[in-house]
Amino acid sequence: MTKELAKQVLEQLKSGEISEYRVEKENFLAFQPVLHKHPEFKNFRGAAIHGGAIVYTYNPGWTA
């Protein structure tokens, strides 16, 4: 996964173009730094699933 792809995925989640995105464990280290630098970092939610993948969604206001 490239930084450009990670940025594109985050924007698609934010715009509602896609409802969720699965990041496999081998792509996590490339995806995570881009997510942490996103201005709306706290509105993205990651749910770990069996096998080491994480499914990300965009949920504004889900954190306190």
Side-chain angles (χ1 to χ4, degrees), residues 13-56:
L13 283 168
K14 183 180 169 191
S15 71
E17 188 176 333
I18 58 174
S19 61
E20 64 182 33
Y21 186 78
R22 179 179 171 139
V23 176
E24 299 298 333
K25 63 182 177 180
E26 58 269 9
N27 293 322
F28 178 76
L29 291 177
F31 186 82
Q32 194 67 12
V34 178
L35 173 63
H36 279 269
K37 290 179 182 175
H38 195 281
E40 294 194 41
F41 163 68
K42 291 187 177 186
N43 291 325
F44 292 96
R45 186 172 193 176
I49 58 173
H50 186 72
I54 301 175
V55 176
Y56 286 96

